[in-house]
Amino acid sequence: MKTAKAYRHLFQQITGIYEEREARNIARIVFEDAFGIHNLNGEDLFPADLTKQLQVIAQRLLKGEPLQYILGQADFYGLKFFVTPDTLIPRAETEELVYEILQEHVAGTARSVLDIGTGTGCIPLVLKQERPQWAVTGVDVSPDALKVAHRNAAHLGLSADFQLANILEEAAWATLSTYDIVVSNPPYIPPSEARLMPEHVLQHEPHLALFTDTEDALVFYRAIARLARQRLAPGGKLYFELNEFNGYEVLSLVESEDFKDVELRKDMSGKIRILSARQPDQ
């Protein structure tokens, strides 16, 4: 079978569960990242020894398993990160959060960063890649997620401090330093909203990183805002990624902690997805 036909066959197989544009993109990534084949319209024969692997990938896709977990990697801000079912798949909205941080803190100035709920480590590691003079720390409650973060740091050749911590336990804050930037994309989905989630997310992505333990959707934002008031240097910045529907609630609680310049920002889709705030100077 020729490569072009194999590509079209995979695309047609998965079009039933993905929209056409997404199906075409997924099929392209499979051939490029799994097989190293970039010419999808040529007359070359598809290697026979890869046929079984292609069939397995197609079967897993048809069951709704995310492509990133099948391939074991995800693209984020121009870098490739290892991902496992112990970590959330890095998303485009988080790329916009990283972009905002980089725009506000120019190269050449040293900064210390704390990322809470670091998962793959994608936020601190991209910041380290773009700002080599920064010192970056990531904390997570999941030991398995931290193994992935360490693996990503080693693979990318970047230095980062990853720590195990449950940020909801104030005793854990004692191990933390003082930072110029605190950033987090915390769990914000209450259990009652699980039924509204896409099936492939519920079945495959880690609930620990998605859902709060109770119906209090702001529990992590509240704790992190208090932590940031203690651990941010004077004039330091707090950044949150938001559920598009809870921005104003998070804004109110951050303002109640006496942060200054609290601001909501929209993503490229026009949805409120980012909050920034400044620690008072004194």
Side-chain angles (χ1 to χ4, degrees):
M1 179 167 53
K2 293 180 179 179
T3 295
K5 184 176 180 180
Y7 164 73
R8 287 196 301 270
H9 182 62
L10 176 60
F11 163 64
Q12 290 164 357
Q13 279 183 290
I14 63 177
T15 299
I17 60 171
Y18 296 99
E19 293 183 0
E20 180 177 339
R21 182 177 179 181
E22 185 176 8
R24 193 179 302 279
N25 191 46
I26 288 172
R28 176 186 58 78
I29 293 172
V30 167
F31 276 76
E32 291 182 354
D33 287 3
F35 305 133
I37 297 174
H38 296 270
N39 183 6
L40 303 179
N41 298 310
E43 295 299 309
D44 296 337
L45 289 176
F46 184 70
D49 59 332
L50 297 179
T51 300
K52 180 61 177 178
Q53 185 180 353
L54 178 60
Q55 291 172 346
V56 170
I57 291 174
Q59 291 167 2
R60 293 173 70 179
L61 286 169
L62 289 170
K63 292 178 181 178
E65 186 174 353
L67 175 63
Q68 293 89 340
Y69 290 150
I70 296 172
L71 300 181
Q73 64 181 28
D75 293 311
F76 184 81
Y77 220 91
L79 301 177
K80 287 193 181 296
F81 285 83
F82 294 114
V83 296
T84 75
D86 296 306
T87 63
L88 283 182
I89 297 168
R91 287 170 165 79
E93 294 86 355
T94 307
E95 288 184 319
E96 295 188 45
L97 174 64
V98 170
Y99 176 80
E100 292 287 343
I101 295 172
L102 291 170
Q103 288 295 107
E104 291 193 358
H105 302 272
V106 297
T109 303
R111 293 283 188 272
S112 55
V113 181
L114 173 65
D115 175 38
I116 297 172
T118 198
T120 60
C122 63
I123 291 176
L125 290 174
V126 167
L127 293 176
K128 185 67 175 179
Q129 171 76 12
E130 298 294 320
R131 302 286 187 267
Q133 70 275 30
W134 290 12
V136 298
T137 299
V139 300
D140 206 289
V141 72
S142 167
D144 291 324
L146 288 176
K147 290 178 184 177
V148 178
H150 280 291
R151 185 184 178 198
N152 280 319
H155 172 70
L156 295 168
L158 298 170
S159 62
D161 178 25
F162 292 114
Q163 301 178 24
L164 182 68
N166 182 351
I167 220 68
L168 296 182
E169 297 177 356
E170 291 196 25
W173 303 359
T175 65
L176 300 174
S177 184
T178 300
Y179 304 92
D180 300 302
I181 298 169
V182 171
V183 57
S184 184
N185 177 22
Y188 51 65
I189 304 170
S192 62
E193 292 185 12
R195 57 186 174 79
L196 304 176
M197 299 291 292
E199 190 64 23
H200 67 274
V201 174
L202 281 178
Q203 290 296 321
H204 299 284
E205 299 206 46
H207 287 201
L208 186 65
L210 290 168
F211 296 102
T212 56
D213 287 337
T214 70
E215 289 302 303
D216 181 6
L218 304 183
V219 59
F220 282 95
Y221 291 108
R222 193 174 292 109
I224 294 167
R226 290 201 307 271
L227 178 153
R229 284 292 279 132
Q230 292 186 21
R231 296 295 173 177
L232 270 176
K237 294 296 294 284
L238 170 65
Y239 297 90
F240 279 134
E241 186 170 329
L242 306 168
N243 177 332
E244 63 182 287
F245 303 112
N246 70 6
Y248 289 100
E249 293 177 83
V250 178
L251 181 144
S252 294
L253 78 84
V254 170
E255 287 182 332
S256 73
E257 292 290 338
D258 295 326
F259 281 92
K260 306 300 181 183
D261 302 331
V262 185
E263 180 184 355
L264 296 176
R265 307 181 189 186
K266 294 181 179 179
D267 64 12
M268 294 181 67
S269 300
K271 299 175 180 178
I272 294 173
R273 295 302 302 263
I274 296 171
L275 179 143
S276 66
R278 181 176 58 84
Q279 174 89 312
D281 292 329
Q282 293 183 345

